[in-house]
Amino acid sequence: MQFVRDRIALLRTEKNISARELSLRLGQSTGYISQIETGKSNPSVEMLIYICEELGVSMSAFFDDSQTYPALVEKIIEQAKGLNKSSLESVLSVMKNLK
């Protein structure tokens, strides 16, 4: 559960959303996310799905611990979907050079 708490906190701060704001967006009490992040409470699977939606990541990206910035990776993938083959190859080349 520590991973879940840490991941919510990381994604929330990346999106510049306070724990209180995320709690309210989810229709919960103002301290709901704080309670999760401090280990006083655990989200249900259903609530975790809603949290992921609010944070802009899929459940698979949320649990993929090889991704440090899953929300950014998902944005890149979403943008790449509209590119033609030549553009995708160019993007891939740039990405390889960045490593």
Side-chain angles (χ1 to χ4, degrees):
M1 286 311 293
Q2 184 66 43
F3 176 82
V4 171
R5 294 191 294 263
D6 292 345
R7 194 64 146 188
I8 291 171
L10 171 75
L11 294 170
R12 182 180 59 71
T13 54
E14 274 183 11
K15 292 193 73 103
N16 200 26
I17 301 172
S18 69
R20 181 181 186 279
E21 182 180 349
L22 182 56
S23 295
L24 293 175
R25 286 185 186 183
L26 296 167
Q28 300 296 314
S29 67
T30 57
Y32 178 71
I33 293 297
S34 292
Q35 290 176 348
I36 292 171
E37 290 180 358
T38 59
K40 294 177 183 169
S41 180
N42 293 315
S44 66
V45 173
E46 181 180 20
M47 188 55 67
L48 190 54
I49 291 169
Y50 294 134
I51 290 169
C52 287
E53 287 174 1
E54 283 296 325
L55 296 174
V57 296
S58 66
M59 287 284 281
S60 62
F62 182 90
F63 284 105
D64 184 353
D65 62 356
S66 70
Q67 291 187 33
T68 307
Y69 304 104
L72 287 174
V73 171
E74 288 207 354
K75 283 182 183 180
I76 291 168
I77 291 168
E78 199 57 39
Q79 290 297 314
K81 288 180 181 178
L83 300 176
N84 62 32
K85 183 179 179 185
S86 175
S87 295
L88 285 170
E89 288 171 344
S90 295
V91 169
L92 182 58
S93 176
V94 168
M95 292 173 77
K96 286 179 179 178
N97 288 329
L98 289 173
K99 281 188 167 185

